Amino acid sequence: MPHDTGTSATATASSTEAPHITLIYCSPELDISGAQDLYDTLQAALRAQCPVVLDATHVERVDTAVLQMLCAFVRDAQGSGMAVQWRQPSPALENAARLLNIRACLALPRA
């Protein structure tokens, strides 16, 4: 089975005044084997300069390398004035972020 790290799609709200949003779906396993694909997706989102929503609903496992990459992405996005939000971060992602004390770095919503 192919390892899908994340895909992105650009969606717009129904109002013509609403900004475009880049929606990135996180795969169930965020590990080093799929890090390059996720990195490419995150870099494309940075280039698009639109608000980003990371859908982490189905994340079952995440390793430290990917968490570091996500922290760097959030830092770079916020530094560029881009909003980054999480859609339903899974318990696995929440737990990993809590254990490593990086909830703020990831801009995860308060539990």
Side-chain angles (χ1 to χ4, degrees), residues 1-88:
M1 177 196 271
H3 188 68
D4 179 24
T5 307
T7 57
S8 67
T10 303
T12 57
S14 58
S15 169
T16 58
E17 297 174 16
H20 293 289
I21 296 171
T22 302
L23 178 58
I24 301 173
Y25 294 95
C26 298
S27 72
E29 293 189 21
L30 295 176
D31 59 20
I32 195 70
S33 67
Q36 184 64 51
D37 291 337
L38 180 58
Y39 177 81
D40 293 342
T41 299
L42 296 173
Q43 290 303 302
L46 286 173
R47 286 189 300 276
Q49 288 293 298
C50 296
V52 173
V53 175
L54 295 159
D55 186 327
T57 306
H58 301 291
V59 173
E60 296 172 3
R61 191 173 73 79
V62 58
D63 69 16
T64 306
V66 173
L67 288 170
Q68 289 174 322
M69 183 171 48
L70 288 168
C71 283
F73 167 74
V74 170
R75 180 199 63 219
D76 292 348
Q78 290 176 336
S80 296
M82 294 168 51
V84 177
Q85 296 179 338
W86 290 87
R87 177 186 291 169
Q88 299 178 347

